[in-house]
Amino acid sequence: MTMHPLLGTRLPIIQAPMAGVQDSKLALAVCRAGGLGSIPAAMLSPDALAAELKIMHEQAAGPWNVNFFCHTPPTPDDQREAAWRSALAPYYRELGLVVESIPSGAGRRPFDAEALELLREYKPPVVSFHFGLPLPELLDELKSWGTRVISSATTVEEAQWLQAHGADAVIAQGLEAGGHRGMFLTEDMTTQVGTFALLPQIVAAVRLPVIAAGGIADAPGVCAAMALGAAAIQIGTAYLLCPEADTSAVHRAALQSEAAAHTALTNLFSGRPARGIVNRVIRELGPISELAPAFPLAGTAITPLRSAAEKRHSGDFSPLWAGQNVRGCRAISAAELTLQLMGES
């Protein structure tokens, strides 16, 4: 059996790490089919991360990936936070919530020395990053274990930066991709381009293997990306309806509705641009708002609205993450979907 030279898997398919909608169940299913399953760690407590690492280490059939964010935690801005809460106050009143009861704090943490220590026991075969790379001393330790390090680039310049700073491969994240943009050298959205424009530019600009991500949802899309020089394909949105995903009922319904055809990049749910299905709060306050606190602080005040609305079976305030191409979303097993992406099923 020929194994992928970068991933060590049978198939060149990476299941994109999707915080909040999946855990090891989805990752294990993809691994068993021959792809690279991924664990999203940015929203996990140390105890929860340790439990997921143990499961993957003991049960994964072949290599697996764990993903972290590399953002710099922001300095809280009381004035901006007050303006954000004021903008959300009418929705709080509508849903019978008290805006003064909003807790403080952020739900996403960057990769740090504590996370490195948790990884040390299990030494994951692959570790991926969003928003750049961790500090050099942390990265050097990871790589000393033989762990492959990959990270997202949304521009040629970011890909070249990743190559210069120690990445083993680059994920070319096109504008179509669902969830958070991996941009880290710029905040200028006009620099963001589609996958099939970005991919060949990055392939030509770096010596590293390049992984295509964004808008790829079926076997023809995989073939097209490979023809443009992709060494592997990272796919997220297509897995959201799989039974092994923890996608909420509200999110699943949205993905199967006509609304899924309209997505937008919005900063309302976290403070950074991320692509999701357009819903009420995006239409009324966004999609991009200057009032939203810096990443990841914006999410604190909107989470109670999401919880209250979802209890009423409404996704008006939910981050309905999805890429621009949802036609690959199917309620079939993740293993079967992985094989179909390679034309094997």
Side-chain angles (χ1 to χ4, degrees), residues 61-260:
W64 47 282
N65 169 45
V66 58
N67 173 262
F68 295 90
F69 287 174
C70 288
H71 61 286
T72 300
T75 301
D77 183 331
D78 292 341
Q79 186 174 357
R80 193 171 177 183
E81 183 67 34
W84 182 229
R85 294 183 181 214
S86 178
L88 296 177
Y91 301 123
Y92 269 74
R93 290 192 293 271
E94 178 184 327
L95 292 171
L97 302 175
V98 180
V99 72
E100 289 78 17
S101 68
I102 300 173
S104 59
R108 296 173 176 87
R109 56 182 292 180
F111 187 75
D112 56 17
E114 183 179 4
L116 182 71
E117 284 305 308
L118 287 172
L119 295 185
R120 188 183 303 278
E121 179 178 354
Y122 303 104
K123 296 181 174 57
V126 181
V127 174
S128 64
F129 294 101
H130 222 42
F131 315 134
L133 289 168
L135 293 172
E137 57 268 29
L138 302 180
L139 184 65
D140 290 346
E141 176 75 12
L142 267 181
K143 298 188 70 171
S144 74
W145 305 337
T147 294
R148 296 290 180 91
V149 172
I150 61 180
S151 186
S152 301
T154 67
T155 64
V156 169
E157 291 75 21
E158 287 177 347
Q160 292 171 326
W161 187 96
L162 292 175
Q163 176 174 265
H165 289 80
D168 294 308
V170 171
I171 302 165
Q173 188 195 34
L175 189 60
E176 303 96 327
H180 282 93
R181 303 297 302 146
M183 53 203 303
F184 62 94
L185 290 184
T186 180
E187 295 182 0
D188 184 355
M189 292 303 299
T190 67
T191 64
Q192 305 295 284
V193 298
T195 303
F196 290 111
L198 180 66
L199 173 61
Q201 293 183 65
I202 289 182
V203 168
V206 300
R207 301 179 303 278
L208 302 176
V210 181
I211 298 156
I216 302 169
D218 53 23
V222 169
C223 289
M226 302 289 275
L228 288 175
I233 314 298
Q234 180 168 283
I235 294 174
T237 300
Y239 285 103
L240 288 173
L241 293 182
C242 293
E244 297 91 345
D246 293 327
T247 314
S248 70
V250 164
H251 197 168
R252 287 177 186 270
L255 287 163
Q256 297 174 87
S257 73
E258 293 183 0

Side-chain angles (χ1 to χ4, degrees), residues 294-315:
F295 180 88
L297 301 177
T300 303
I302 212 162
T303 297
L305 294 172
R306 171 189 179 173
S307 298
E310 287 191 354
K311 288 178 181 177
R312 304 181 185 189
H313 310 292
S314 167

Side-chain angles (χ1 to χ4, degrees), residues 257-272:
S257 73
E258 293 183 0
H262 186 193
T263 65
L265 289 169
T266 180
N267 68 341
L268 300 181
F269 299 106
S270 71
R272 267 186 184 263

